[in-house]
Amino acid sequence: MSYVELPGANVPIRMWADPKTVEGAAMQQLRNVATLPWIKGLAVMPDVHFGKGATVGSVIAMRGAVCPAAVGVDIGCGMSAVRTSLTAADLPDDLSRLRSRIEQAIPVGRGMHEDPVEPGRFHGVAAGGWDDFWGRFDGVAEAVKFRQERAVKQMGTLGSGNHFVEVCLDLNDSVWLMLHSGSRNIGKELADHHIGVARDLPHNQGLVDRDLAVFIADTPQMAAYRNDLFWAQEYAKHNRKLMMELLKDVVRKEFKKARPDFEQEISCHHNYVSEERYDGMDLLVTRKGAIRAGSGDHGIIPGSMGTGSYIVKGLGNEASFNSASHGAGRRMSRNAAKKRFSTRDLEEQTRGVECRKDSGVVDEIPGAYKSIDKVIDQQTDLVEVVAKLKQVVCVKG
């Protein structure tokens, strides 16, 4: 489908979703964003739903301004995936051991490594540059510097919520590895700090929603946020890279006889800010629950833990600011899902997937999410499908 254009105060709202299916609170958030004085464009993805300040599934292009709450608290959250040389025939009938090995190698929830992961131990991972990366931590906000030891030990960990590690099969029975995570606690600490700073700035006092408080160009607050934002986005990218290497190690050990090889990794942020140029203007493009889908860009659009996911290639649609959805998107809140579904429902909806089926992950049940197939069908002018995947193992935080 192509987009539907709705009127907005300062810019039109371009929607790759049926407006009739978008909850009222989310529609109001979109209208609020369109009132911002600095906004130059707003694109809405088919997985759109209510979020803090700005909806999840929106692309906000502003000139000389950025809204930290629109980026969100999991700065740099995103996906990584890689196709392996393994096939379905290589997998054992019982996948519980494989799931257990993954959980042992990659800490989940609030867990961390006892000793920091050493990047140099992995073939193909650059050993250099890490001292420079950690050295730049000295330049982040003073309020979070006491978290450095934790940040070092959480590098290469999954986190909680909707973060996951999966083993999947495509339609040709090739085995894929996939994971979803971001900048862990340090990203949240940095985000919370800067969101608090922005709310108190004089130019934000008259906004229709204080959660839309922005930093503006050529101010010390903007310089400080940009520094910390881009560092946290880099942390998230490194975090996924190290997790993928830990996951590959597990697969090599578990399938020694098959001697698995791995193709080039696909990696993409879906909560982040990028400096891009449109219509002759340099803009700060915030993708909150959206991936970059420039012409030829490979991306990952996951579904829920019992449905499947898509590997896609961008078509470079500038009307969407070269963007596409980041997943299926929730159709109900976590609390609503816990009230609506039981562990029995979870067992039924994740049949055939080796995963947790306890009350602690009921809020992640497939029924709490929109149909990933429908979400893909709504953005055929944004991406083309490269592969459809179905998980057989899912490790949840």
Side-chain angles (χ1 to χ4, degrees):
M1 69 176 272
S2 59
Y3 62 89
V4 174
E5 190 166 288
L6 302 178
N10 289 328
V11 293
I13 303 168
R14 298 172 184 164
M15 298 192 69
W16 277 261
D18 181 351
K20 296 190 295 291
T21 67
V22 180
E23 66 220 277
M27 283 299 305
Q28 187 57 53
Q29 285 187 316
L30 294 169
R31 295 188 194 99
N32 290 346
V33 169
T35 68
L36 292 173
W38 311 272
I39 194 162
K40 296 300 178 184
L42 175 59
V44 184
M45 300 296 102
D47 57 340
V48 62
H49 58 279
F50 181 79
K52 181 175 175 61
T55 61
V56 179
S58 57
V59 183
I60 303 167
M62 291 197 280
R63 191 172 192 181
V66 67
C67 171
V71 181
V73 295
D74 194 359
I75 298 171
C77 186
M79 300 283 304
S80 292
V82 64
R83 182 162 59 184
T84 79
S85 59
L86 299 173
T87 68
D90 294 308
L91 300 177
D93 293 334
D94 183 356
L95 292 166
S96 60
R97 173 186 161 108
L98 178 58
R99 176 164 77 98
S100 178
R101 292 291 187 267
I102 294 170
E103 291 170 340
Q104 289 169 20
I106 301 175
V108 303
R110 295 186 178 183
M112 62 186 79
H113 295 280
E114 289 186 14
D115 299 306
V117 178
E118 176 52 56
R121 65 182 264 208
F122 301 114
H123 176 72
V125 177
W130 289 88
D131 288 343
D132 174 67
F133 169 73
W134 286 114
R136 296 205 314 276
F137 189 84
D138 290 339
V140 305
E142 288 289 339
V144 306
K145 285 187 178 178
F146 72 103
R147 294 292 194 187
Q148 181 167 8
E149 183 179 356
R150 185 175 184 181
V152 171
K153 290 186 175 182
Q154 282 195 322
M155 179 70 79
T157 67
L158 186 63
S160 56
N162 61 358
H163 293 164
F164 62 78
V165 177
E166 290 183 344
V167 179
C168 306
L169 296 174
D170 66 19
L171 297 181
N172 296 317
D173 277 349
S174 291
V175 173
W176 288 70
L177 308 180
M178 180 183 294
L179 56 87
H180 171 210
S181 192
S183 53
R184 303 298 286 109
N185 182 256
I186 194 63
K188 179 183 184 302
E189 294 274 354
L190 288 167
D192 286 342
H193 167 73
H194 287 288
I195 289 170
V197 171
R199 286 174 63 89
D200 292 336
L201 294 174
H203 62 261
N204 291 317
Q205 303 313 302
L207 299 178
V208 295
D209 183 350
R210 290 281 296 284
D211 282 333
L212 293 177
V214 306
F215 294 118
I216 55 178
D218 302 321
T219 63
Q221 295 89 353
M222 170 68 106
Y225 180 60
R226 284 170 61 106
N227 177 77
D228 295 0
L229 168 75
F230 292 132
W231 184 89
Q233 288 178 184
E234 194 174 345
Y235 181 104
K237 185 176 180 180
H238 289 324
N239 184 42
R240 289 195 296 274
K241 179 62 179 174
L242 291 187
M243 270 194 292
M244 185 60 80
E245 294 306 319
L246 291 167
L247 181 56
K248 288 177 183 177
D249 263 5
V250 171
V251 170
R252 287 188 187 99
K253 291 172 183 174
E254 290 298 301
F255 299 95
K256 283 182 180 178
K257 290 184 179 179
R259 302 180 67 182
D261 290 323
F262 305 93
E263 295 187 359
Q264 185 174 351
E265 244 170 79
I266 299 168
S267 183
C268 57
H269 290 321
H270 56 224
N271 278 9
Y272 75 113
V273 177
S274 179
E275 298 170 321
E276 299 177 19
R277 190 170 178 83
Y278 295 94
D279 297 328
M281 290 184 290
D282 292 323
L283 303 176
L284 287 166
V285 178
T286 297
R287 295 184 175 92
K288 182 176 184 178
I291 62 172
R292 179 170 170 83
S295 181
D297 289 341
H298 280 87
I300 307 160
I301 304 178
S304 61
M305 62 190 286
T307 53
S309 301
Y310 286 86
I311 306 297
V312 298
K313 187 162 65 173
L315 298 178
N317 189 330
E318 291 203 358
S320 71
F321 297 98
N322 291 323
S323 304
S325 75
H326 85 309
R330 297 192 72 92
R331 69 181 184 91
M332 65 178 68
S333 69
R334 293 186 182 278
N335 285 336
K338 289 176 181 177
K339 293 176 182 177
R340 168 69 177 81
F341 297 108
S342 67
T343 54
R344 186 172 179 179
D345 295 322
L346 181 62
E347 290 171 4
E348 181 63 32
Q349 293 183 30
T350 59
R351 191 177 302 279
V353 181
E354 173 57 45
C355 63
R356 287 177 60 186
K357 301 177 191 285
D358 57 82
S359 60
V361 292
V362 166
D363 56 345
E364 282 294 300
I365 192 170
Y369 284 83
K370 298 177 183 180
S371 163
I372 184 61
D373 295 326
K374 186 174 181 180
V375 165
I376 292 295
D377 288 343
Q378 289 177 295
Q379 52 188 324
T380 53
D381 59 334
L382 304 182
V383 294
E384 62 177 323
V385 173
V386 173
K388 182 177 182 179
L389 312 182
K390 177 67 173 71
Q391 65 271 74
V392 291
V393 176
C394 178
V395 173
K396 275 284 184 185

